[in-house]
Amino acid sequence: MLANDVTPDYFRVLGMRLVAGRTFTEAEAFATGPEPGVVISESLARRLFGIPNAAGRLIAFPAGAGSPSHEVPVIGVVNDVRWRDLEQPPSHLVYR
């Protein structure tokens, strides 16, 4: 699972399709404190939950080096993209 820090316009600019839920608001993107949630790729939603509509589910997300993981809500699911290599299957991505 790969994590990618993004802005609210990221998905629109890349032409990514929202499968379920929503993407980030401007306020969430620039808020400090705990993560309001994450957007995940459709393939990761299927791997973790067996369904593409994983909005509202919780995933364990590492807090950082030496810190315990914590649960973060999935606020949205976007279509898969080939991120690193066109020959490989889409990566399981978390957008935060």
Side-chain angles (χ1 to χ4, degrees):
M1 176 170 49
L2 301 169
N4 195 6
D5 293 327
V6 301
T7 63
D9 287 335
Y10 179 85
F11 306 106
R12 181 186 57 78
V13 169
L14 290 182
M16 296 173 72
R17 180 178 48 85
L18 185 64
V19 174
R22 64 179 180 83
T23 59
F24 303 106
T25 65
E26 289 288 327
E28 289 170 336
F30 301 105
T32 58
E35 290 179 272
V38 294
V39 175
I40 63 174
S41 64
E42 191 172 7
S43 61
L44 181 58
R46 287 186 190 281
R47 188 179 116 215
L48 293 177
F49 305 108
I51 57 171
N53 183 359
R57 303 282 183 116
L58 297 173
I59 63 170
F61 200 68
S67 300
S69 64
H70 60 285
E71 289 188 323
V72 178
V74 174
I75 62 168
V77 179
V78 292
N79 66 294
D80 289 330
V81 294
R82 298 198 189 276
W83 193 58
R84 291 189 174 170
D85 185 345
L86 295 176
E87 304 277 325
Q88 299 297 316
S91 299
H92 299 301
L93 291 166
V94 173
Y95 303 92
R96 53 185 189 177

